[in-house]
Amino acid sequence: TVLHYIHHAAFSLNDGKTTLLFDPYLENNPEGLSSGDLKADYIFISHFHGDHVGEAYAIAKRTEALIITTAEIANDAKAHGLNAHAMHIGGSHEFPFGKVKLTLAFHGSGIAGGHACGFIVHFDGSVFYFAGDTGLFADMELIGKRNAIDYAFLPIGDNFTMGPDDAAYAAGLLKAKTVIPIHYNTWPLIDQDPEEFKNVVEKETSSKVLIVPCGTRVDL
Ligand code: NI
Ligand code: MN
């Protein structure tokens, strides 16, 4: 699986044939990518804040990708003529690439009546947990018990989401094999040191931390 970490909470996973794109916010991304540069077969939107929905609609319109998100955002996407699959927290669905389950996330939805979410995604033989924007919550332990997570994408920026201390505690609850820090250093308000986060997590939990620089690709 090739992981392309664009920046912030925007990344994609590709298995050689299918591209899953997550929260494609592109403003000031280090590669200077715009919506026309990205390919996607499926686009995940965790919530409707601008730094997550980002260019999702423009990319979905151009590529005809299927948007996978909560019912409220899916309804809005459909009203804009886009392909969308509505789900909600606790629900799972088998897609051609694998199973997706929506998880709790403690955060604003950014849309009337909605709720922010995270995603458990089965793809290319691995289990990925994208926490979305969230504070620390004890049910992460349940998520870890119910899913053998290979890669957990956790926000560490603080202010809007978990900071490094809470994200390190979350890593202990989730018991993911590998934790990938995201949602930091986009703006001065969420500046964090990922190396320090890595040291704490690897000292206090059984998880490894993979720091992926913005604008780079790694083979998972
Ligand atoms: Ni948000
Ligand atoms: Mn955010």
Side-chain angles (χ1 to χ4, degrees):
T1 310
V2 176
L3 162 65
H4 176 202
Y5 181 41
I6 298 167
H7 77 155
H8 202 53
F11 64 95
S12 68
L13 300 172
N14 180 286
D15 67 352
K17 49 182 203 288
T18 302
T19 301
L20 313 183
L21 180 63
F22 296 79
D23 284 5
Y25 167 69
L26 301 180
E27 212 168 286
N28 297 321
N29 75 85
E31 295 168 283
L33 298 171
S34 59
S35 66
D37 299 321
L38 290 177
K39 58 178 237 175
D41 299 295
Y42 299 88
I43 302 174
F44 295 74
I45 305 173
S46 67
H47 64 295
F48 217 56
H49 288 159
D51 61 318
H52 294 263
V53 65
E55 299 299 322
Y57 281 19
I59 298 165
K61 186 171 185 183
R62 195 190 87 248
T63 62
E64 298 183 350
L66 181 67
I67 292 172
I68 301 173
T69 187
T70 56
E72 292 78 14
I73 298 173
N75 288 339
D76 184 78
K78 286 177 193 168
H80 284 80
L82 304 172
N83 301 321
H85 182 104
M87 297 182 70
H88 236 304
I89 291 162
S92 59
H93 182 75
E94 195 75 47
F95 289 92
F97 60 83
K99 194 172 80 169
V100 173
K101 187 171 196 175
L102 260 64
T103 68
L104 191 61
F106 275 106
H107 192 75
S109 69
I111 189 166
H115 204 300
C117 75
F119 298 97
I120 297 278
V121 179
H122 295 247
F123 183 63
D124 202 16
S126 297
V127 179
F128 298 87
Y129 170 51
F130 169 44
D133 276 4
T134 187
L136 173 65
F137 55 91
D139 283 353
M140 285 180 176
E141 186 175 16
L142 189 61
I143 293 172
K145 278 183 176 161
R146 301 277 291 158
N147 303 275
I149 302 166
D150 294 296
Y151 298 95
F153 294 82
L154 302 182
I156 68 162
D158 216 343
N159 194 79
F160 302 109
T161 66
M162 296 190 285
D165 290 355
D166 281 356
Y169 195 87
L173 297 179
L174 291 162
K175 296 186 167 36
K177 287 200 189 89
T178 300
V179 170
I180 299 171
I182 60 171
H183 208 281
Y184 66 99
N185 292 1
T186 317
W187 316 291
L189 186 58
I190 58 170
D191 275 354
Q192 300 296 342
D193 179 358
E195 293 291 346
E196 196 179 312
F197 173 72
K198 179 181 168 79
N199 291 340
V200 172
V201 170
E202 294 187 349
K203 191 170 137 230
E204 295 181 358
T205 80
S206 57
S207 299
K208 294 288 172 208
V209 172
L210 176 65
I211 298 169
V212 184
C214 298
T216 68
R217 288 167 178 78
V218 292
D219 216 336
L220 300 178

